[in-house]
């Protein structure tokens, strides 16, 4: 991993795209023709969590619309300074859930690997916005320790690469790690939890698709799409190519006030996801992380919305409405 600078001309198109992301609210405002004074009023929230927005994602936003549902997910907002009781910097108590560095074993049969810190897009509502692992990488010896731990826990049958975003890593790094994990006979399937292909669809390279499809167990990609406008033609095309290789696609989203908390927005989202060959999986209630309280939708409203979705969509297009609670053996369905 030390050869980044040397590899400049060997970068793939997604890495070039990543390097050209918007990191300043002013530059994004110029691109979208937003009122400059409106952006300036919010800009200081960058100090809480840097802004990062790849161009292909910005291209899906409506020019001139300060309330665009994609823009609101990624633009720093002065509301993030609000101190709200019940909101903390580590709402899931992950600091105490890690048996060995980079591995979270909270649910009996599956482990989550914090494969790579940092993301292609910084979502303002993210529960990991306060985590110190922006530059975190998994080394060969970390992988050894993880494989030892898994071998000692025969109940584990699935490995989930997460982050940050695991697809920030190189193809070789992802594929090597998955070869290591799937060499353990107890591992029946692997998952990759990623938002990167949503914001830079070219990340779904054919080389990586080929390598994943040659693993000895099925691979499921769990994307993170919150709004129908995020389902671009490019994303649909890449997903179709990967599905031809036998790779499964699911979607999880977060219920976000003023972004996707209406029945119309939810129906449009799941219809769009299905058209792209992706099935809805989870709809998450927001984790109570400081700086994100303005995105919260109360439980009563969330449940009502979920009931309405059930009456208007086939069962297989209704995601499970869940919340993650520290100490629980699985994600907790709302009721
Ligand atoms: C969400 C999560 C999983 C995966 O849960 P599923 O219900 O299987 O999707 C596994 N481990 C941890 C720590 C998680 O947070
Ligand atoms: S991509 Fe996922 S982990 Fe990364 S900032 Fe967004 S919500 Fe958080």
């Amino acid at each position: 991993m030390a050869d980044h600078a040397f590899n400049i001309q060997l970068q793939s198109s997604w890495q070039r795209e990543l390097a050209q992301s918007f990191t300043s609210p002013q530059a994004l405002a110029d691109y979208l023709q937003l009122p400059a004074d409106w952006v300036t009023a919010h800009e200081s929230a960058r100090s809480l969590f840097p802004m990062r927005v790849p161009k292909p994602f910005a291209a899906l936003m409506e020019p001139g619309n300060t309330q665009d549902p994609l823009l609101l997910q990624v633009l720093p907002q002065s509301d993030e300074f609000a101190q709200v009781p019940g909101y903390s910097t580590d709402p899931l108590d992950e600091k105490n859930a890690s048996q060995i560095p980079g591995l979270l074993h909270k649910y009996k049969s599956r482990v989550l690997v914090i494969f790579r810190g940092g993301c292609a897009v910084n979502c303002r509502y993210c529960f990991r916005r306060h985590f110190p692992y922006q530059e975190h990488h998994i080394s060969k010896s970390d992988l050894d320790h993880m494989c030892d731990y898994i071998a000692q826990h025969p109940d584990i049958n699935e490995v989930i690469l997460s982050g940050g975003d695991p697809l920030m890593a190189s193809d070789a790094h992802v594929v090597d790690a998955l070869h290591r994990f799937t060499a353990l006979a107890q591992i029946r399937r692997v998952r990759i939890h990623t938002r990167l292909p949503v914001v830079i669809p070219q990340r779904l390279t054919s080389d990586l698709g080929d390598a994943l499809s040659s693993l000895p167990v099925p691979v499921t990609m769990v994307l993170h799409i919150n709004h129908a406008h995020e389902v671009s033609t490019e994303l649909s095309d890449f997903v179709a190519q990967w599905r031809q290789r036998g790779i499964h696609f699911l979607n999880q989203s977060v219920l976000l006030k003023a972004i996707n908390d209406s029945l119309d927005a939810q129906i449009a989202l799941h219809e769009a996801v299905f058209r792209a060959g992706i099935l809805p999986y989870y709809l998450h209630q927001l984790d109570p992380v400081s700086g994100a309280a303005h995105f919260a939708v109360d439980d009563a409203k969330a449940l009502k919305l979920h009931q309405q979705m059930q009456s208007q969509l086939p069962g297989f297009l209704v995601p499970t409405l869940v919340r993650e609670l520290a100490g629980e053996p699985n994600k907790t369905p709302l009721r």
Side-chain angles (χ1 to χ4, degrees):
M1 305 303 299
D3 49 6
H4 267 141
F6 180 69
N7 267 347
I8 290 291
Q9 74 269 49
L10 301 177
Q11 277 186 336
S12 18
S13 71
W14 70 268
Q15 286 166 320
R16 276 195 301 274
E17 203 59 84
L18 186 65
Q20 289 166 19
S21 298
F22 292 104
T23 54
S24 114
Q26 283 308 335
L28 181 60
D30 287 350
Y31 173 75
L32 291 173
Q33 299 149 39
L34 301 176
D37 51 345
W38 181 82
V39 173
T40 313
H42 292 286
E43 193 170 41
S44 57
R46 283 170 85 181
S47 63
L48 298 173
F49 186 42
M51 189 187 101
R52 191 165 207 190
V53 185
K55 292 223 162 94
F57 193 66
L60 303 173
M61 299 172 188
E62 186 193 350
N65 182 2
T66 57
Q67 301 306 304
D68 181 272
L70 277 51
L71 178 70
L72 292 179
Q73 295 178 50
V74 297
L75 188 75
Q77 299 251 19
S78 52
D79 288 341
E80 295 172 37
F81 288 101
Q83 298 283 335
V84 178
Y87 284 73
S88 74
T89 53
D90 183 14
L92 305 180
D93 196 22
E94 287 199 335
K95 286 205 187 79
N96 294 319
S98 193
Q99 284 78 9
I100 57 168
L103 191 78
L104 290 176
H105 185 196
K106 292 208 259 184
Y107 304 161
K108 196 173 166 68
S109 66
R110 47 234 191 264
V111 285
L112 198 128
V113 177
I114 307 293
F115 192 67
R116 181 58 201 252
C119 297
V121 61
N122 282 347
C123 311
R124 310 309 297 179
Y125 53 83
C126 181
F127 75 100
R128 295 201 162 122
R129 53 182 282 156
H130 303 285
F131 266 60
Y133 55 45
Q134 285 297 323
E135 296 305 322
H136 168 88
H137 292 262
I138 294 284
S139 67
K140 286 244 186 301
S141 80
D142 292 331
L143 274 183
D144 291 339
H145 292 131
M146 290 179 189
C147 288
D148 289 347
Y149 178 91
I150 293 170
Q152 285 156 19
H153 293 80
D155 283 338
I156 299 170
N157 59 28
E158 179 170 13
V159 175
I160 303 167
L161 298 192
S162 182
D165 199 309
L167 291 189
M168 290 288 276
S170 67
D171 290 2
H173 197 203
V174 172
V175 172
D176 285 352
L178 290 178
H179 273 295
R180 294 282 313 271
F181 291 126
T182 57
L184 298 164
Q186 71 200 76
I187 299 302
R188 297 181 200 155
R189 52 189 164 265
V190 293
R191 258 193 261 174
I192 298 179
H193 283 190
T194 175
R195 185 148 162 76
L196 213 166
V198 180
V199 297
I200 306 178
Q202 301 99 293
R203 180 65 190 96
L204 298 179
T205 60
S206 21
D207 286 351
L208 183 59
D210 287 345
L212 295 181
S213 64
S214 67
L215 287 168
V217 302
V219 177
T220 302
M221 305 296 294
V222 183
L223 301 182
H224 171 174
I225 302 170
N226 296 318
H227 192 277
H229 293 174
E230 293 170 47
V231 186
S232 62
T233 325
E234 292 76 19
L235 177 65
S236 305
D237 290 347
F238 281 108
V239 168
Q241 290 167 22
W242 276 39
R243 288 183 73 219
Q244 282 171 359
R245 298 175 168 95
I247 295 170
H248 307 286
F249 280 85
L250 300 175
N251 181 51
Q252 52 183 344
S253 46
V254 181
L255 186 58
L256 298 166
K257 187 175 182 172
I259 292 170
N260 63 9
D261 64 340
S262 71
L263 183 58
D264 286 350
Q266 283 293 322
I267 290 177
L269 167 63
H270 305 303
E271 294 278 12
V273 153
F274 178 68
R275 271 197 305 278
I278 306 164
L279 286 173
Y281 182 38
Y282 282 142
L283 175 60
H284 293 267
Q285 264 297 41
L286 186 82
D287 296 310
V289 61
S290 347
H294 56 291
F295 288 112
V297 176
D298 66 55
D299 282 2
K301 176 164 183 178
L303 277 166
K304 181 161 179 239
L305 190 58
H306 194 245
Q307 273 157 14
Q308 290 171 326
M309 285 157 64
Q310 284 174 315
S311 72
Q312 302 228 6
L313 288 166
F316 64 92
L317 292 190
V318 182
T320 308
L321 176 64
V322 292
R323 126 157 334 116
E324 196 165 332
L325 294 171
E328 289 297 313
N330 48 258
K331 310 237 184 282
T332 310
L334 250 71
R335 51 183 106 249

